[in-house]
Amino acid sequence: MSTQSSNPLDPQRVAVNGGQSLRKVPVLPVRDTVLFPRAVLPLTVGRESSIQLIESLGEERTIVVAAQIDPRLDTPKPADLHAVGTLATVHKVVRMPNQSRFVFTEGVERVRLINYTQSEPFMVAEIAPLEEIEPPESVDSEALVRNVISQFQQIVAESPTLSDELRTIAANIEEPARLVDFVASSLPFLTTEDKQRLLEAPGVTERLQKLNQHLAKEIEVQQLRAKIQNEVQDQVQQSQRDYYLREQMKAIQKELGEADEGQREIEELRQKIEAAGMPEDVKKEANKELTRLSRMSPMAADYSLTRNYIEWLAVLPWSKSSGSKIDINKAREILDEDHYELKKVKDRILDYLSVLELKPDMKGPILCFVGPPGVGKTSLGRSIARSLGRKFQRISLGGMHDEAEIRGHRRTYIGALPGQIIQCIRRAETNDPVIMLDEVDKLGRDFRGDPASALLETLDPEQNNTFRDNYLDVPFDLSKVLFICTANMLDTVPLPLQDRMELIPLQGYSEEEKVHIANRYLIPRQIRENGIASDQVEFPEASVRHIIRHYTREAGVRKLEQVIGTVCRKEARRVVEGRKERLVVTQEVLKDFLGGIQVRVETEVAERVKRAGVAVGLAWTPAGGDILFIEANKMKGKGNFTMTGQIGEVMQESMQAALTWVRSNAASLGLNEEFTKDTDLHIHVPAGAIPKDGPSAGVTMATVLVSLLTDTPVRPLTAMTGEITLSGDVLPVGGIKEKFLAARRAGIDCVILPAENRQNVEEDLTPEMMEGVQVHYARHIEDVLAVALPLLKVQPVLVSAVSDQEKKEAGAQFEKPAAIADDRANQPAAAASRF
């Protein structure tokens, strides 16, 4: 600092760089401001260092105004300032009440800050003027200047904040450099960075081009702003116009004594509320919403939402019942007319009607029909509604994931509606319809909720008299509704939901029942639906049985109806082609229409059980009963035991129990007690792609092992089922009817069942079903072997005649809870096939 004079504000000339003259001038840092040459700019000076700088000015009153790089800094350093600033003259300083200074400055020229020679108490820098590169006189330069002037004038004309005098001043400036500085200092939309780049640009042409780009962008923004403003103004004017016209129309209608459209709607809704027969609390809520609606403008956003809500409340049948007189005999006739057999279901409906006649205010039962596909669960619901004289509504629950489908959406959501239950009530127009919840076992569950849990309130007679839909948010009485659910299996139905329903199993049909159903219902319906006359086609009973045995394999009759429909369509084609002769459906006709037979069960069973180590087991599936073959084989080895066929843990344990019993009784069976020492055993259950589980194949496993190890084939056309214990006892199993019918369909003539399932046989199977099939009961595995392996000469434990006391014990044992009594048909395992 020794080179400085005693007064740093006195400009000095210092020889540097070979004679170039530099001036030392105090530097005033400013925020968000750029001073251009020949522009007057008022500045507010508040920093202590800046105030000292202003107070220290001498007669020269020359400073450099430099913009800060970061305007947030309160005490900037030399490195925090731009390298190019403006040399300015201070014309006037005004003291403000808050001790700050108001300084009027005028820019002189662009300068570059070369070196800072002082930083305290304020900054002083050596500066050098920036040489201005004037544009050459050319047509391009003239066009650029005129374009800048024209665009600037256009911006001033459209801007509400810029004075119109600026247009005249800009037009009178002849020097391009001065024009750029004037326009740049007058534009409020330029950022500090944009202005600083214009200040630092050395060439006037370059500055003109940059300024031209900024002006063109601002014109585009102004045009877009004007367009938006015009659109908004048009909308406002239209709204005001509509409002004025509406008010005038109201005044005219008032003078004429006519009510407006809105008032008529309010009055209509009020009359509907009065006629709906709502409970007092619901009526109070409806009138409250109606009063709120009457105060709304029809243009309000909530007007239509509130109106829809009131309409929903007004149209629901709060007190309207079907009112039909109960006729037990007529109801029985309708049920018998529509469905064959199903005695348990029909008795339950007639019992309900009888109680309803004695106690009209009774709560509706919650029934659940459980059975394989095609046995008539859904159509039975329609017949029940017809027999009761009530409206029928059906809700398909298959694949439903959102619990709002049951309870409805809250009114806060766009497009909200009541749930399916309330919508069915509205469509039925009575408060006691028959509502069928179809496929309740196929409900989904995800992040939107659990519909099965939402059904807990709906299907609870103790709660559904105050069912509260999310949309209505008022209680509705569902206790008079007869809910009927259907399911193929109960594995996926939560236990609390099962507990609320009265489970009624619908088991598969026997061949005799299918023949009756086909002749009475299916054939007439398919003849009618395919447009042919009843005398043009004849289905003999032998042909119907042939279709049932060799073209279908199901517990229900859906596939049977499809095959009959195919035959009727073939006959319709014959009629259209001109062949009018009557068609008698014979086996040859069926082969011509349907192709070769598709089920060869009798031959299959007889062929596969010829060798030792193969037996037929009985399985329960969601589609009814079925037979499964169980095969065993042996080979030299080290005593390994292999089990295959995609079987579950319970079935594997049954195999282990069967093997343990065979090993422990090897001597009585005529086997070497160490037969597993050098022999590997392998049990396989074919149809390996189908999951299988359950304990009821235990006796079949034991029979297969004994047959294999003694090289004794199993009696032909024999099937069996039952759970085995380590001591050789045979325990009861479920699904007896389905399994027995599956055995009969497969051509089995001998069935071995647990003795304690005798009661199920007597209750569920008719003599017609059992005709041609011998049923043997077993308490111990020796009883099974005595029937299945007659060549082995095993002494049976169970005598052929079962006493009444044993029957009672068998019945009591079978009625044990599901957790003890194994796999009842209404408690199946989660698998495709269940033994």
Side-chain angles (χ1 to χ4, degrees):
M1 304 291 285
S2 59
T3 60
Q4 299 181 22
S5 63
S6 59
N7 184 4
L9 299 182
D10 293 337
Q12 299 183 21
R13 301 286 179 173
V14 182
V16 295
N17 297 334
Q20 184 181 6
S21 178
L22 301 178
R23 295 175 60 186
K24 290 195 296 184
V25 182
V27 179
L28 177 66
V30 293
R31 312 181 202 206
D32 293 327
T33 302
V34 175
L35 177 62
F36 285 92
R38 294 172 290 276
V40 177
L41 183 68
L43 300 173
T44 300
V45 178
R47 294 193 186 106
E48 185 62 31
S49 59
S50 299
I51 293 175
Q52 291 184 22
L53 185 151
I54 297 300
E55 294 295 334
S56 302
L57 290 175
E59 295 180 357
E60 183 69 19
R61 303 180 74 83
T62 301
I63 62 174
V64 172
V65 178
Q68 292 181 201
I69 298 175
D70 186 356
R72 294 172 296 181
L73 297 176
D74 290 331
T75 56
K77 303 298 181 185
D80 299 323
L81 303 181
H82 286 286
V84 175
T86 304
L87 186 66
T89 300
V90 178
H91 290 295
K92 186 177 181 180
V93 178
V94 179
R95 292 177 179 270
M96 305 300 291
N98 59 356
Q99 303 304 318
S100 63
R101 304 292 186 270
F102 198 67
V103 181
F104 290 88
T105 59
E106 181 182 3
V108 178
E109 62 177 340
R110 291 173 171 78
V111 294
R112 183 178 297 279
L113 285 71
I114 304 299
N115 181 36
Y116 285 87
T117 60
Q118 176 181 319
S119 58
E120 296 294 341
F122 49 83
M123 289 182 281
V124 177
E126 296 175 345
I127 64 172
L130 282 179
E131 181 181 358
E132 297 238 359
I133 303 175
E134 294 293 336
E137 294 185 1
S138 63
V139 176
D140 293 342
S141 300
E142 182 66 22
L144 191 56
V145 170
R146 290 186 182 182
N147 198 36
V148 169
I149 295 175
S150 174
Q151 292 187 107
F152 177 69
Q153 290 177 337
Q154 182 178 349
I155 291 174
V156 172
E158 296 180 1
S159 174
T161 59
L162 297 178
S163 173
D164 290 340
E165 296 179 355
L166 297 177
R167 302 167 61 187
T168 306
I169 297 174
N172 294 329
I173 298 177
E174 298 180 355
E175 301 175 10
R178 184 180 174 188
L179 176 64
V180 173
D181 294 339
F182 173 74
V183 172
S185 62
S186 302
L187 296 177
F189 60 83
L190 288 180
T191 63
T192 304
E193 290 77 9
D194 293 336
K195 291 182 178 181
Q196 184 64 33
R197 282 194 286 268
L198 287 172
L199 184 70
E200 294 178 357
V204 177
T205 302
E206 182 182 354
R207 276 182 259 163
L208 283 169
Q209 292 173 347
K210 290 183 178 180
L211 185 60
N212 187 48
Q213 294 174 359
H214 290 304
L215 292 173
K217 179 181 177 182
E218 179 63 17
I219 289 175
E220 185 178 353
V221 171
Q222 282 190 347
Q223 290 175 348
L224 183 59
R225 175 179 170 274
K227 179 182 177 183
I228 296 173
Q229 184 67 24
N230 290 335
E231 291 176 354
V232 173
Q233 188 173 0
D234 290 342
Q235 292 177 359
V236 172
Q237 289 176 352
Q238 181 65 29
S239 299
Q240 292 176 345
R241 177 178 175 274
D242 293 345
Y243 174 76
Y244 290 142
L245 292 175
R246 195 173 292 109
E247 292 298 319
Q248 290 176 1
M249 185 172 63
K250 287 182 179 179
I252 294 171
Q253 289 175 342
K254 184 177 180 181
E255 291 295 329
L256 295 175
E258 298 177 356
D260 63 352
E261 186 68 24
Q263 291 300 321
R264 281 200 299 271
E265 287 186 358
I266 298 296
E267 189 59 32
E268 289 176 2
L269 289 175
R270 181 174 285 109
Q271 293 175 3
K272 289 181 180 179
I273 292 174
E274 293 295 332
M278 301 178 182
E280 285 301 321
D281 54 342
V282 179
K283 186 175 181 180
K284 181 179 178 181
E285 179 68 21
N287 286 326
K288 176 183 174 183
E289 291 293 327
L290 187 62
T291 303
R292 179 168 169 262
L293 181 68
S294 63
R295 296 173 181 171
M296 282 186 187
S297 168
M299 302 299 294
D302 290 344
Y303 185 86
S304 61
L305 300 179
T306 306
R307 183 176 178 276
N308 289 340
Y309 173 72
I310 298 174
E311 284 188 345
W312 268 101
L313 290 178
V315 300
L316 287 178
W318 297 93
S319 57
K320 182 181 178 182
S321 300
S322 57
S324 58
K325 190 178 186 315
I326 298 173
D327 189 340
I328 297 293
N329 294 326
K330 182 180 179 182
R332 182 186 294 109
E333 291 176 1
I334 293 175
L335 292 174
D336 290 339
E337 177 186 341
D338 291 347
H339 288 82
Y340 180 77
E341 287 294 332
L342 303 178
K343 184 175 182 300
K344 290 183 179 179
V345 181
K346 295 177 181 178
D347 287 345
R348 180 63 184 88
I349 298 303
L350 296 177
D351 294 345
Y352 165 67
L353 285 176
S354 302
V355 177
L356 186 63
E357 186 171 2
L358 298 176
K359 192 175 185 297
D361 59 342
M362 74 166 293
K363 296 178 179 179
I366 313 296
L367 307 179
C368 181
F369 299 153
V370 184
V375 296
K377 299 184 295 297
T378 304
S379 61
L380 185 59
R382 297 183 184 274
S383 297
I384 291 173
R386 195 159 71 93
S387 66
L388 296 175
R390 299 186 184 183
K391 298 288 184 67
F392 177 79
Q393 295 292 322
R394 175 179 169 273
I395 302 175
S396 179
L397 301 180
M400 186 180 290
H401 289 265
D402 192 354
E403 63 95 16
E405 293 286 339
I406 303 295
R407 290 183 178 272
H409 298 82
R410 301 192 183 278
R411 281 188 288 158
T412 53
Y413 296 107
I414 296 175
L417 283 174
Q420 290 291 334
I421 301 295
I422 295 297
Q423 291 188 38
C424 284
I425 296 292
R426 177 179 179 176
R427 288 193 295 267
E429 299 179 347
T430 60
N431 61 3
D432 60 347
V434 176
I435 296 181
M436 171 160 283
L437 304 176
D438 217 1
E439 311 292 355
V440 71
D441 57 327
K442 297 174 181 61
L443 279 171
R445 180 179 183 180
D446 60 10
F447 65 93
R448 290 168 288 187
D450 184 5
S453 299
L455 285 175
L456 292 178
E457 178 189 5
T458 307
L459 300 182
D460 190 345
E462 299 299 325
Q463 300 180 36
N464 63 10
N465 59 335
T466 57
F467 174 74
R468 189 177 289 268
D469 187 272
N470 288 334
Y471 180 83
L472 299 180
D473 200 27
V474 291
F476 190 90
D477 186 4
L478 296 178
S479 61
K480 296 182 180 180
V481 178
L482 174 57
F483 286 102
I484 300 177
C485 303
T486 70
N488 295 130
M489 56 194 303
L490 295 176
D491 291 12
T492 57
V493 181
L495 289 177
L497 189 57
Q498 294 185 35
D499 186 59
R500 284 163 168 78
M501 301 185 294
E502 183 178 344
L503 303 178
I504 300 178
L506 296 181
Q507 297 159 339
Y509 296 116
S510 66
E511 181 178 313
E512 294 297 329
E513 291 173 333
K514 289 183 179 181
V515 171
H516 280 92
I517 293 172
N519 290 327
R520 188 171 175 181
Y521 303 102
L522 306 184
I523 294 175
R525 182 162 61 204
Q526 286 301 318
I527 290 176
R528 185 172 58 254
E529 290 183 357
N530 286 281
I532 57 179
S534 58
D535 58 351
Q536 289 179 323
V537 61
E538 178 185 352
F539 284 84
E541 182 176 329
S543 298
V544 176
R545 292 183 183 274
H546 188 73
I547 293 175
I548 295 171
R549 293 174 183 173
H550 297 289
Y551 289 95
T552 65
R553 191 171 188 175
E554 58 177 348
V557 293
R558 183 169 290 145
K559 182 66 176 177
L560 175 60
E561 184 172 10
Q562 292 174 2
V563 174
I564 294 173
T566 301
V567 175
C568 291
R569 286 192 295 273
K570 297 291 186 181
E571 170 60 15
R573 180 177 174 183
R574 292 177 70 253
V575 172
V576 173
E577 291 175 350
R579 287 177 282 180
K580 303 293 186 179
E581 66 274 10
R582 176 185 177 87
L583 175 67
V584 178
V585 180
T586 62
Q587 294 187 14
E588 292 74 16
V589 172
L590 290 175
K591 183 176 181 181
D592 183 37
F593 286 176
L594 306 175
I597 61 175
Q598 300 172 8
V599 181
R600 298 178 178 85
V601 180
E602 297 92 338
T603 306
E604 182 182 6
V605 173
E607 289 294 331
R608 294 183 64 172
V609 298
K610 282 184 177 180
R611 76 170 186 85
V614 181
V616 181
L618 298 177
W620 182 94
T621 70
D626 202 355
I627 64 167
L628 285 182
F629 294 91
I630 299 177
E631 301 177 349
N633 214 332
K634 61 182 179 179
M635 69 247 23
K636 290 184 179 181
K638 299 180 180 180
N640 294 327
F641 186 43
T642 305
M643 299 166 285
T644 57
Q646 200 172 346
I647 53 180
E649 293 183 1
V650 176
M651 199 168 183
Q652 294 182 28
E653 292 172 358
S654 296
M655 293 181 178
Q656 294 284 359
L659 178 61
T660 300
W661 182 86
V662 173
R663 292 180 61 185
S664 64
N665 293 271
S668 62
L669 296 173
L671 299 174
N672 183 357
E673 295 185 358
E674 297 183 353
F675 68 88
T676 59
K677 183 177 180 181
D678 55 356
T679 303
D680 287 349
L681 296 177
H682 185 169
I683 293 185
H684 177 67
V685 184
I690 302 176
K692 313 168 194 71
D693 204 1
S696 63
V699 296
T700 315
M701 306 292 181
T703 302
V704 166
L705 289 173
V706 174
S707 170
L708 174 70
L709 296 173
T710 61
D711 197 22
T712 305
V714 176
R715 180 185 182 278
L717 299 180
T718 299
M720 62 199 75
T721 183
E723 180 181 355
I724 188 176
T725 67
L726 290 178
S727 58
D729 294 330
V730 179
L731 300 183
V733 295
I736 293 298
K737 181 178 180 181
E738 289 84 354
K739 294 177 179 179
F740 186 89
L741 294 179
R744 178 163 180 167
R745 286 195 302 268
I748 300 295
D749 60 10
C750 179
V751 176
I752 305 174
L753 301 176
E756 296 177 7
N757 282 125
R758 180 190 292 265
Q759 179 179 345
N760 300 93
V761 174
E762 294 173 350
E763 291 181 355
D764 297 335
L765 300 177
T766 63
E768 292 79 8
M769 295 180 186
M770 299 176 63
E771 184 179 355
V773 180
Q774 295 181 358
V775 179
H776 298 271
Y777 297 99
R779 289 191 182 278
H780 200 268
I781 187 62
E782 281 89 346
D783 304 328
V784 177
L785 298 178
V787 177
L789 302 172
L791 300 178
L792 196 60
K793 306 298 182 183
V794 178
Q795 184 64 31
V797 176
L798 177 66
V799 295
S800 58
V802 182
S803 66
D804 293 339
Q805 179 63 27
E806 288 174 324
K807 291 182 181 179
K808 293 180 181 178
E809 292 175 356
Q813 175 70 18
F814 187 73
E815 292 171 357
K816 289 194 292 184
I820 301 175
D822 178 42
D823 53 338
R824 297 181 181 274
N826 59 354
Q827 298 282 348
S833 291
R834 175 117 186 259
F835 282 82

